[in-house]
Amino acid sequence: MAVKKQVKAKTAKAGTGKTEGRKYGYFDDANREYVLCNSATPIKWCNYVGTLNFGGIVDTTGGTVLCKGDPALNRITKYISQMPNSDFKGSTIYIRIKDEKGFYKLLSPFVVPTCTIWDNWECRIGLSYTKWIAEGYGLRVKVTVFVPTNSSTLIQDISVENISGKSMEVDVIPVYEFSHFDALKQLTNADWVPQTMTVEAHRERSGHVIQEQYAFMKKKYAVNYFTASMPAQSFECDRKAFLGFNEITGWISPYTLYKGDLTNSTALRGDNIASQMFKFKLANKKSARVATQLGQEKNIAAAMPAIKKYRDLKNVDKAFADLAAFWDNYLAALQVKTPDASFNSMVNIHNPRQCHTTKNWSRYLSLYQLGFGSDRGIGYRDSSQDLLGVMSHMPEEARLLVENLLSVQKEEGNAMHQYFPSTMEANEGDSREEEDRPKYYGDDHLWIVLTVASYLKETGNMKFLDKQIPFYHKKKELKAREKGSVLEHLKRSLAFTWKDRGKHGIPHLGFADWNDTVNLPTGSESLFNASLFAKALLEMIDICEAIGDKKLVQQYKNWYAEIGNRVNKTAWDGKWYIRWFDEKGKALGSNKNKVNKIDSLGQSWPVISGIAPPERAKTALNSVNKLLNTKNGIKLSWPGYNGFDPHVGGVSTYPPGAKENGGIFLHANPWIMIAETIVGNGNRAFQYYNQINPAAKNENIDEFESEPYCYPQNILGNEHKQFGLGRNAWLSGTSSWTYQAATQYILGVKATFKGLSINPCVPKAWKEFYIARKFRGALYEIIVKNPKGVSKGVKSVKVDGRELVGNVVPVLAGKRHVVEVVMG
Ligand code: GLC
């Protein structure tokens, strides 16, 4: 990627000790990959394959977390993420050769678990696939791992080429370890779990082996299977047999593999694995290829069509090409060319890709949110926001998730905090666990108003507002639950917050607002909830105008005016807005406080919601720049709590500078970028964009540590000694909001009920840029010129050569339209 000083990294030797001073990897934009050349990443780096329907995580050392539909309730592989990166984690491949003396030597293309040092090694992290290429010991080994679109099969496409100059015998031995489907039970119960688990193998007449794994109670309706494109010489189902010698030599050097072939074991209980051995005799320059399949179906008969299909390597190639075509099509929804190559690469590839990932996994399964038990699930506020990042790319898939979210909104109008996709059961998140705090969140139900508005503006499908969806009721069966139209759901969201206001006329905090970790006693008020409510009202006013309901428009305008007045009367602190009133009415996020004097959301959201008058907006944003900004991003608040304070709760469990306690919580950064574009400060918005661009941190991985190809959730702030250290990659609202900031506010192209609105706010130095945006069935190619070097302001717009009045390009018939914009 196009980070300015980028030098293509030399291929670093895998393993440890030989990489000092070298980079970890580089961006290969032409192939839409990040190429890791050094397996010894500072922390685990990973990629996602497949979707929540079937898929999971593949890390750069070959470890795999796989599930179908639900990581907590239908997990397939066993991956314990807290183990060192050197350990086996759910899957690996052994390559076995003989050394000069005729002794076996074991290699792994993933380096782990055999600790193989290759001459050349790279791991290409691509769009829903990871590919390894390892050279050494006379071999070139290639492995590609992916899930074909709309399938329930994980494919490992393995090839070995003899480059030794003489003929060689090579054995290829892939292995997966299974988890109990109830992922948490696998970790907490070592009695019941192993008694229920079985793997048996069937050898077909053709010699192919199918290994079938199931938990006893699922035997009749969900079995996992492992098979390959070619007959196996031998196989193993029991981990004890695979590792041999009562497992004492471990995964690094399985005794059985040094002794001979696999023993064709069955696993009647206990530690379930699937492994097969494929033997090749390769003349010099010859190669062999085998593709394995790990899948789940009702039974083996139901799996046979897929098994047969992917045994044919031509179909494996086609599935891989189809996956690339899926991404071509997906990314084509919005492509840009700006003077900044690093911005282009992020906006064209990595950021929309991450939005697709957060849309799928919410905060359910990552190397940080581990998807065990009822800890996470699909988060109401999280997914509502994630959907804003995919709306221009997959609005109808987004709508389906919106429907699920609305179905866990309660009759009263507020929402359950999270739900589990395979059962649609919902719960109140952490608020369940604190006795003396409210049992609901003050913000969940408001986000969905933004999401529905975004869907309607993108598609124009106003009929969706009439769709009947049930409200959630814990004690009522689905059939007995009250139903309401989507519009009714939204009305109840707003009515809930309007009623649920405190002493200052500001909405109550609930257990928490967006900031999960500030859990003040019942009766506290949240200025953020006030702004989010105001923004939701603006969206609802747009919707009601579009459907011609004047009465509702007026009602919501009144509410909007009232909430704005209350905020401006009660919450202006002199140079910024305060953030909360506690149960006694005391301000928090105020200059009067000793800690937590200023909070970033307190400033961004009054601007985003239009509540802040222009002068206050600028003053507040200048305070953010002065007190919260750092070279690694904007801190959420300052100063941090230095010790546990039961009054505020969670935030004070972190040391100052970490996470919500004065850390750089990235999710809140794009909100400041957006606010800066609203006040017309394009240079600053772009500076803030660059500060958190993970790709720009590729030069500085030893400090940042996290994956450079996706946003992490947090970076330690400058109150912490490890300032700059990133954590919690992939599943963060940062992805959706940074994408919105870049495309809808910096580039300024936004769907509205009337068409595509164009209102960029860019760095003054940008003289020209280009956006291709698909919208309601047509492609709009937008060329923006900025001859006077302004940040904001549209002087003229021509559509297909014709002058337009205003800056909203109407929905046009025809497949392609050219839009010429002049700023000034
Ligand atoms: C985490 C949570 C999200 C919350 C944020 C701030 O990212 O998933 O729901 O808003 O932290 O506390």
Side-chain angles (χ1 to χ4, degrees):
M1 145 149 352
V3 177
K4 270 179 211 127
K5 272 193 329 210
Q6 188 216 302
V7 189
K8 185 171 164 174
K10 282 186 214 143
T11 304
K13 293 237 166 127
T16 52
K18 299 193 178 178
T19 57
E20 222 152 299
R22 288 184 178 171
K23 295 197 186 66
Y24 291 89
Y26 61 96
F27 285 87
D28 177 353
D29 275 3
N31 286 308
R32 303 185 296 200
E33 292 170 333
Y34 180 85
V35 188
L36 179 69
C37 309
N38 174 356
S39 62
T41 50
I43 52 173
K44 291 185 187 73
W45 287 7
C46 74
N47 195 3
Y48 282 79
V49 292
T51 64
L52 176 59
N53 292 337
F54 182 90
I57 297 170
V58 172
D59 73 25
T60 57
T61 64
T64 305
V65 194
L66 191 67
C67 69
K68 187 172 181 180
D70 195 318
L73 301 177
N74 191 8
R75 190 167 298 211
I76 299 173
T77 57
K78 187 205 274 184
Y79 184 109
I80 303 182
S81 70
Q82 288 99 338
M83 300 311 275
N85 213 5
S86 52
D87 284 22
F88 171 88
K89 295 173 287 321
S91 76
T92 196
I93 297 171
Y94 293 92
I95 306 288
R96 190 171 70 171
I97 54 176
K98 280 192 180 140
D99 66 16
E100 317 77 58
K101 293 185 186 136
F103 292 118
Y104 283 131
K105 180 159 183 63
L106 290 182
L107 313 167
S108 173
F110 312 129
V111 177
V112 170
T114 52
C115 201
T116 307
I117 309 289
W118 297 92
D119 295 338
N120 292 306
W121 182 89
E122 62 182 37
C123 170
R124 294 185 160 258
I125 296 140
L127 296 173
S128 302
Y129 68 88
T130 300
K131 186 194 267 181
W132 290 260
I133 303 169
E135 281 175 7
Y137 311 93
L139 292 174
R140 181 178 295 124
V141 184
K142 287 190 197 159
V143 181
T144 307
V145 174
F146 70 104
V147 173
T149 37
N150 302 320
S151 81
S152 293
T153 314
L154 178 74
I155 291 195
Q156 253 179 354
D157 184 355
I158 309 164
S159 77
V160 280
E161 186 185 348
N162 178 357
I163 51 170
S164 69
K166 48 186 197 270
S167 64
M168 261 179 109
E169 286 179 23
V170 186
D171 303 330
V172 174
I173 310 140
V175 52
Y176 285 102
E177 184 171 22
F178 291 100
S179 165
H180 191 267
F181 63 83
D182 183 333
L184 184 59
K185 285 264 163 52
Q186 174 69 56
L187 302 183
T188 58
N189 189 322
D191 177 35
W192 176 75
V193 162
Q195 300 285 6
T196 66
M197 288 173 66
T198 302
V199 196
E200 48 197 44
H202 321 276
R203 194 181 276 279
E204 294 171 282
R205 240 183 274 154
S206 58
H208 292 87
V209 173
I210 300 176
Q211 289 172 277
E212 181 182 0
Q213 192 275 340
Y214 51 85
F216 185 67
M217 60 285 228
K218 284 214 172 180
K219 185 175 180 177
K220 293 214 173 79
Y221 64 97
V223 301
N224 299 319
Y225 63 88
F226 180 69
T227 189
S229 56
M230 61 180 282
Q233 183 267 346
S234 54
F235 59 84
E236 214 74 88
C237 299
D238 189 339
R239 192 180 77 185
K240 210 165 171 181
F242 182 87
L243 295 176
F245 206 31
N246 284 344
E247 304 198 332
I248 203 74
T249 59
W251 292 101
I252 188 169
S253 52
Y255 180 75
T256 304
L257 295 185
Y258 282 105
K259 227 172 61 179
D261 298 331
L262 299 177
T263 68
N264 299 345
S265 60
T266 302
L268 297 173
R269 66 182 303 289
D271 298 305
N272 286 192
I273 63 158
S275 179
Q276 303 190 8
M277 183 180 283
F278 307 99
K279 286 187 170 265
F280 303 103
K281 279 199 179 120
L282 293 178
N284 185 36
K285 296 208 172 129
K286 290 283 172 218
S287 59
R289 183 174 169 202
V290 55
T292 71
Q293 304 175 34
L294 176 64
Q296 185 185 90
E297 283 302 340
K298 188 166 177 277
N299 50 41
I300 296 297
M304 272 334 274
I307 288 179
K308 287 202 177 121
K309 180 173 176 189
Y310 298 118
R311 275 190 184 154
D312 182 342
L313 295 175
K314 277 201 240 65
N315 289 331
V316 172
D317 291 337
K318 178 161 187 315
F320 192 65
D322 288 349
L323 185 64
F326 164 82
W327 281 107
D328 287 342
N329 182 46
Y330 186 86
L331 297 175
L334 204 163
Q335 287 287 299
V336 307
K337 264 184 235 147
T338 76
D340 192 290
S342 157
F343 180 87
N344 297 345
S345 159
M346 216 52 206
V347 173
N348 289 334
I349 306 170
H350 305 285
N351 195 177
R353 191 269 149 106
Q354 188 177 355
C355 289
H356 183 268
T357 307
T358 57
K359 187 265 170 195
N360 262 283
W361 299 95
S362 196
R363 305 297 168 273
Y364 207 175
L365 181 70
S366 73
L367 296 182
Y368 302 86
Q369 283 97 10
L370 301 178
F372 292 121
S374 62
D375 199 29
R376 293 301 289 232
I378 304 294
Y380 203 97
R381 78 153 82 89
D382 299 322
S383 287
S384 300
Q385 294 171 76
D386 294 343
L387 290 175
L388 297 170
V390 298
M391 207 54 91
S392 40
H393 295 66
M394 46 184 339
E396 296 311 324
E397 284 90 340
R399 176 183 48 80
L400 294 176
L401 185 46
V402 166
E403 290 177 17
N404 281 347
L405 291 166
L406 287 172
S407 76
V408 298
Q409 180 183 12
K410 295 191 281 181
E411 291 163 13
E412 305 88 285
N414 63 344
M416 303 301 281
H417 193 56
Q418 57 199 24
Y419 74 84
F420 302 96
S422 56
T423 58
M424 286 311 291
E425 239 177 75
N427 68 42
E428 293 87 354
D430 287 347
S431 74
R432 287 170 293 179
E433 283 145 35
E434 304 286 333
E435 289 215 333
D436 58 340
R437 296 290 196 262
K439 292 282 170 290
Y440 69 96
Y441 288 76
D443 65 325
D444 278 330
H445 55 286
L446 295 173
W447 292 106
I448 198 79
V449 181
L450 275 54
T451 318
V452 172
S454 164
Y455 169 75
L456 297 173
K457 289 176 180 177
E458 187 65 39
T459 61
N461 174 19
M462 303 307 280
K463 274 198 278 171
F464 180 55
L465 286 172
D466 303 328
K467 175 143 194 177
Q468 294 288 312
I469 293 178
F471 289 96
Y472 195 76
H473 198 297
K474 238 186 191 166
K475 298 202 176 108
K476 286 187 195 159
E477 290 276 307
L478 185 58
K479 270 192 248 141
R481 287 182 195 162
E482 187 193 342
K483 275 191 179 170
S485 66
V486 169
L487 185 65
E488 178 62 22
H489 278 260
L490 303 189
K491 281 160 73 177
R492 289 201 199 177
S493 295
L494 296 174
F496 179 88
T497 298
W498 179 249
K499 267 203 237 142
D500 186 39
R501 287 178 301 144
K503 289 193 202 82
H504 298 84
I506 300 295
H508 279 133
L509 170 64
F511 177 69
D513 58 29
W514 170 89
N515 185 337
D516 261 347
T517 63
V518 171
N519 313 122
L520 294 162
T522 307
S524 304
E525 293 157 282
S526 156
L527 275 310
F528 166 75
N529 284 347
S531 286
L532 178 61
F533 178 54
K535 176 69 181 158
L537 284 167
L538 288 181
E539 294 296 345
M540 194 64 161
I541 291 167
D542 277 359
I543 295 174
C544 294
E545 272 170 354
I547 57 173
D549 191 329
K550 289 193 186 128
K551 224 175 116 204
L552 275 182
V553 169
Q554 199 46 54
Q555 179 189 326
Y556 292 136
K557 281 191 173 167
N558 295 344
W559 289 6
Y560 180 82
E562 169 68 8
I563 209 78
N565 284 339
R566 293 289 180 155
V567 171
N568 280 307
K569 254 193 211 142
T570 62
W572 184 248
D573 202 45
K575 293 203 170 123
W576 60 82
Y577 284 99
I578 62 164
R579 176 68 170 80
W580 294 273
F581 292 116
D582 74 5
E583 79 287 8
K584 298 207 175 89
K586 227 180 112 219
L588 201 62
S590 150
N591 202 19
K592 293 184 199 81
N593 299 121
K594 282 211 181 75
V595 289
N596 208 350
K597 282 170 170 295
I598 173 169
D599 178 282
S600 135
L601 270 66
Q603 321 320 314
S604 49
W605 275 88
V607 183
I608 294 173
S609 63
I611 283 181
E615 268 320 299
R616 283 191 176 179
K618 280 195 185 139
T619 309
L621 292 173
N622 284 341
S623 298
V624 168
N625 188 258
K626 198 165 146 214
L627 299 173
L628 296 178
N629 192 40
T630 77
K631 67 174 176 127
N632 286 316
I634 302 159
K635 297 185 283 186
L636 188 60
S637 55
W638 172 83
Y641 292 87
N642 200 357
F644 184 63
D645 175 355
H647 185 241
V648 284
V651 63
S652 61
T653 59
Y654 296 110
K659 298 265 283 191
E660 285 97 333
N661 191 23
I664 299 163
F665 211 91
L666 272 71
H667 190 151
N669 278 244
W671 290 333
I672 297 286
M673 293 172 210
I674 292 172
E676 289 288 3
T677 65
I678 291 172
V679 302
N681 203 344
N683 280 0
R684 214 192 244 171
F686 195 62
Q687 176 203 335
Y688 290 162
Y689 181 91
N690 282 334
Q691 280 175 179
I692 62 161
N693 187 346
K697 302 190 188 294
N698 193 39
E699 303 298 304
N700 205 9
I701 292 299
D702 284 324
E703 175 183 286
F704 181 57
E705 295 200 348
S706 193
E707 289 100 312
Y709 44 84
C710 62
Y711 289 97
Q713 179 211 62
N714 66 87
I715 296 177
L716 289 173
N718 55 8
E719 285 185 82
H720 197 285
K721 285 205 172 114
Q722 283 170 293
F723 176 47
L725 181 87
R727 279 294 184 276
N728 205 336
W730 285 104
L731 302 187
S732 163
T734 315
S735 183
S736 163
W737 281 103
T738 310
Y739 191 66
Q740 293 174 69
T743 57
Q744 298 177 20
Y745 293 91
I746 294 177
L747 299 175
V749 179
K750 212 172 165 189
T752 71
F753 284 118
K754 300 206 171 88
L756 267 189
S757 147
I758 303 177
N759 188 18
C761 182
V762 293
K764 292 188 173 140
W766 284 16
K767 292 279 180 278
E768 187 172 334
F769 51 98
Y770 164 90
I771 305 127
R773 163 75 148 91
K774 287 191 185 162
F775 180 60
R776 307 226 193 147
L779 180 71
Y780 293 80
E781 295 199 63
I782 306 163
I783 303 136
V784 185
K785 297 213 163 125
N786 183 16
K788 297 222 169 96
V790 299
S791 269
K792 204 172 180 176
V794 169
K795 212 170 94 192
S796 70
V797 181
K798 270 192 201 160
V799 183
D800 297 329
R802 286 224 202 122
E803 204 78 40
L804 182 84
V805 182
N807 64 341
V808 179
V809 180
V811 179
L812 297 169
K815 286 274 162 254
R816 183 174 165 266
H817 302 283
V818 176
V819 184
E820 294 159 273
V821 180
V822 179
M823 292 177 72

